[in-house]
Amino acid sequence: MKLSILTEGIFKNNPVMKQVLGLCPTLAVTTSAINGIAMGLATMGVLMGSNVAVALVKNIIPAKVRIPAYVVIIATFVTLIDLSMNAYFHDLHKILGLFIPLIVVNCIVLGRAESFASKNGVFDSLLDGIGSGLGFTLTLFVLGSIREVLGSGSWFGINLFGSGFSPAILLILPPGAFIVLGFMMAFNNFVEERRRIGRGGVQ
Amino acid sequence: MNNPLKMVVVLTVISALAALLLAGVYGATKQKIADAERQDFLKGLTTVLPGFDNEPDRDTLTIEGKTLYVGKKGGQAFGYAVESVTAKGYSGNIKILVGVSSEGKVLGVEVISHAETPGLGSKIEDKIWRDSFIGKTAGSNITVKKDGGEIDSFSGATISPRAVCEAVRAAIAVIGKAGGAK
C-alpha cells in the first residue's frame, strides 16, 4: 500500500521520535517555530532529491562504493538547497545558514538512502522521502513552537502575552531543547502505550 | 560486477555530474546572493546614516586600515559609518556599524552580528536601546550606568552592553581622525 509508506515516516517510524536520528539540527535550530519549519522543509527537499537519485542509480553502483556515491549525491542536493535558499530566502538563510551544510551529515538522509531508497523503486522512494521529511518537519515545528511560546512568549514572532510576561529563557537555550524533546518523547510513548493496551495488548 | 575499474568509473561519473549541476546553480544564484548581501548592508547603513542619497558602500575612505563609508546628501558629506568589532562580548565577537555626523555626533548604531545569549545579551539588538547612543559625542561618557556612564544595561546582562559601548567609543575615535584629516 503506497499511502502507508507516506504515513510510516510521519507517525509510526518518525525520524526523531521513533528512530531518534538527526538530533543535531533538531536540538540546535528549534528556538522558534519558523526555524523548525524551515529546517524541516530544507531537510525534506534533500531527502526527496537524494532518495529519488539513489533509487535511480542503485543498480549501477557497485556495492563497495555505494556509501561514497550516496554521500556525493546528498552533498550535491544540500549545496543546491543552500545556494537557492541564500538567493531567494536570504533572511531565513542568515538564521539557518550555519546548519544547512550540516544536513549532509544528518543520519536521517543517509539512513533513508541506505535502508529504503537502495532497495525500492523511484516512486516509493519519493514517497518515503516526503513521509520522513514531513515527520521530521512536524516534530521540529512542535518542538520549536513549545520552545518559542514558553521561552520567548511569542509564536511565529507574534507576541502572545504582552510585555508583562517574563518568559522562561532556559527553554530557548540548549538545555531547553533536551528537556522539551524528552517530554515530547515521553508523551508520545505514553499515548502509544495507552493505545496498545486499549487494543488488548499486555501491559 | 565488482571489478575495480567499474567502481572508479561510476564514482567519477557521479562526481562529474554533481560538479556540473553545482556549477550551473552557483552561476545562476551568484548575482542574486551578492545583491541580497548588498541590500542587507545598505539597510544597516540606512539606520546609521539616515537620509543619504549616494551609495555609501561604494563611496569609501580608508583610515588606519579601517574602511569608512561616507554618507552624502546633495553631494555634501554629512557623516561617516564604520564597522567596529569587539571581543569583549559574553560569547564571541560583537560586530556593529556606527554612524557619526561631521559634527562628531552619533547618528545611529546597528548590530551586524553577535552570539550573545538569546533573551539576555541579545537585547543589544533592541532599537530603543541602540537609539540611546544617538547624539553622543567623543566627550560623552559612553559606558553603562553601572560603570558611572550614560547608557542603560539590562537586568541580568551587563557584559554585552558594556562591550557595545566600547565598540561605539572605538568607532567614534576612528571617525574623529577622519574628520581631522578632511
Side-chain angles (χ1 to χ4, degrees):
Chain A
M1 180 58 200
K2 297 283 179 203
L3 198 68
S4 69
I5 299 175
L6 202 66
T7 55
E8 180 106 334
I10 306 179
F11 301 108
K12 241 176 89 190
N13 215 358
N14 185 294
V16 180
M17 307 294 278
K18 288 277 134 190
Q19 304 178 57
V20 200
L21 287 179
L23 287 193
C24 164
T26 304
L27 296 169
V29 304
T30 50
T31 50
S32 68
I34 189 72
N35 285 4
I37 291 186
M39 187 66 195
L41 291 180
T43 309
M44 182 165 120
V46 173
L47 263 170
M48 285 160 63
S50 67
N51 263 10
V52 167
V54 167
L56 275 173
V57 298
K58 64 176 186 288
N59 290 327
I60 59 160
I61 296 180
K64 275 187 186 163
V65 291
R66 67 179 197 288
I67 299 290
Y70 296 166
V71 170
V72 171
I73 292 172
I74 293 167
T76 308
F77 280 105
V78 170
T79 315
L80 288 184
I81 299 235
D82 189 30
L83 286 173
S84 5
M85 214 165 157
N86 196 351
Y88 300 102
F89 303 98
H90 192 72
D91 284 333
L92 205 55
H93 187 269
K94 271 199 293 189
I95 302 168
L96 295 180
L98 194 63
F99 299 101
I100 301 286
L102 288 178
I103 298 177
V104 178
V105 289
N106 188 329
C107 5
I108 297 170
V109 186
L110 191 60
R112 295 324 289 170
E114 172 76 6
S115 70
F116 195 95
S118 64
K119 295 173 192 137
N120 290 280
V122 173
F123 186 65
D124 285 4
S125 300
L126 177 67
L127 283 183
D128 179 70
I130 298 175
S132 297
L134 282 180
F136 188 61
T137 310
L138 184 71
T139 314
L140 262 64
F141 165 65
V142 174
L143 183 56
S145 295
I146 296 174
R147 290 181 70 193
E148 191 183 352
V149 169
L150 298 178
S152 317
S154 60
W155 196 50
F156 284 103
I158 301 160
N159 202 320
L160 293 179
F161 306 113
S163 56
F165 177 74
S166 163
I169 293 163
L170 172 71
L171 290 184
I172 52 172
L173 298 179
F178 285 98
I179 294 169
V180 176
L181 186 65
F183 273 105
M184 279 170 67
M185 282 180 173
F187 179 74
N188 192 42
N189 288 349
F190 174 76
V191 170
E192 283 192 355
E193 185 69 9
R194 272 293 137 109
R195 279 222 194 119
R196 204 174 60 78
I197 293 167
R199 280 198 302 268
V202 184
Q203 194 159 8
Chain B
M1 184 64 191
N2 261 339
N3 75 64
L5 189 68
K6 193 183 169 193
M7 287 193 229
V8 175
V9 171
V10 168
L11 259 189
T12 312
V13 169
I14 289 179
S15 306
L17 283 177
L20 206 68
L21 191 66
L22 286 179
V25 173
Y26 176 74
T29 53
K30 197 177 162 196
Q31 189 58 42
K32 192 103 183 115
I33 292 172
D35 283 350
E37 271 163 10
R38 178 163 186 248
Q39 280 311 317
D40 252 13
F41 190 61
L42 280 179
K43 220 193 290 170
L45 284 175
T46 318
T47 316
V48 302
L49 292 173
F52 64 80
D53 57 8
N54 61 334
E55 293 184 325
D57 60 326
R58 292 183 181 160
D59 205 345
T60 62
L61 287 174
T62 305
I63 302 284
E64 292 178 347
K66 290 227 174 207
T67 308
L68 263 61
Y69 307 96
V70 185
K72 288 181 180 165
K73 203 184 277 175
Q76 192 69 37
F78 69 92
Y80 305 88
V82 69
E83 271 178 24
S84 186
V85 184
T86 171
K88 293 205 176 153
Y90 192 70
S91 63
N93 286 346
I94 300 177
K95 198 171 174 188
I96 62 171
L97 193 62
V98 182
V100 178
S101 72
S102 313
E103 295 90 50
K105 284 186 176 161
V106 174
L107 292 170
V109 175
E110 177 76 281
V111 176
I112 298 175
S113 65
H114 72 84
E116 302 303 291
T117 317
L120 289 171
S122 72
K123 285 182 192 154
I124 55 172
E125 289 172 16
D126 184 43
K127 186 161 167 44
I128 297 170
W129 183 76
R130 282 188 284 116
D131 283 353
S132 67
F133 285 100
I134 291 178
K136 303 278 185 253
T137 62
S140 310
N141 190 358
I142 306 180
T143 48
V144 291
K145 283 186 178 152
K146 226 180 201 171
D147 301 340
E150 302 171 12
I151 305 293
D152 281 321
S153 54
F154 317 116
S155 55
T158 312
I159 295 175
S160 314
R162 196 180 274 156
V164 175
C165 287
E166 188 202 83
V168 171
R169 285 200 304 273
I172 295 175
V174 171
I175 293 173
K177 280 169 196 151
K182 190 171 53 170

